[in-house]
Amino acid sequence: KFSFKQRIESIKTAVIGLAAGGVASTPFIFLHDVLFPVDSSYTSGFSSWEFDTDMGSLQAALFAIVYRYCVREEDDNEMLNMGVVGAFVVVRTLSRVHVPSYCTAAPLDCGD
């Protein structure tokens, strides 16, 4: 069982990972999705940029939490090791999602 203090530390880790990942990836994603798109029919500019930045931030938060638990020395939990694999599967899957060209940004809307 995790104590209340450990849960607060995990939340702080997630928030720091979320902010750091978003700040670090935003300019690069902007360059890739808005300024220099590989295929204009494949991406939708600002909509793709918004989605990719949000997903990058969530991926960084997930990575921060998983990393925090993986580097702990006092824990030898097999479920944690399987959770690490699952977390990185989710991260890899989120990075492969592409927003269609008809979506609009802020807030992301792809219609009905």
Side-chain angles (χ1 to χ4, degrees), residues 31-53:
L31 287 172
H32 181 266
D33 287 345
V34 178
L35 295 181
F36 305 110
V38 176
D39 182 7
S40 60
S41 64
Y42 182 65
T43 61
S44 59
F46 284 105
S47 300
S48 292
W49 174 68
E50 178 185 0
F51 181 80
D52 291 344
T53 302

Side-chain angles (χ1 to χ4, degrees), residues 28 31 45 47 49 51-52 62 64 69 78 98 101 104 107 111:
F28 299 105
L31 287 172
S47 300
W49 174 68
F51 181 80
D52 291 344
L62 181 61
Y69 286 110
E78 288 187 30
H98 297 286
S101 59
T104 59

Side-chain angles (χ1 to χ4, degrees), residues 27-87:
F28 299 105
I29 295 171
F30 185 79
L31 287 172
H32 181 266
D33 287 345
V34 178
L35 295 181
F36 305 110
V38 176
D39 182 7
S40 60
S41 64
Y42 182 65
T43 61
S44 59
F46 284 105
S47 300
S48 292
W49 174 68
E50 178 185 0
F51 181 80
D52 291 344
T53 302
D54 293 346
M55 291 305 104
S57 298
L58 290 174
Q59 291 170 10
L62 181 61
F63 177 78
I65 292 172
V66 169
Y67 185 77
R68 178 180 184 272
Y69 286 110
C70 286
V71 299
R72 293 188 318 173
E73 293 180 8
E74 70 270 0
D75 196 9
D76 189 26
N77 187 347
E78 288 187 30
M79 290 301 290
L80 179 64
N81 295 335
M82 290 191 310
V84 169
V85 174

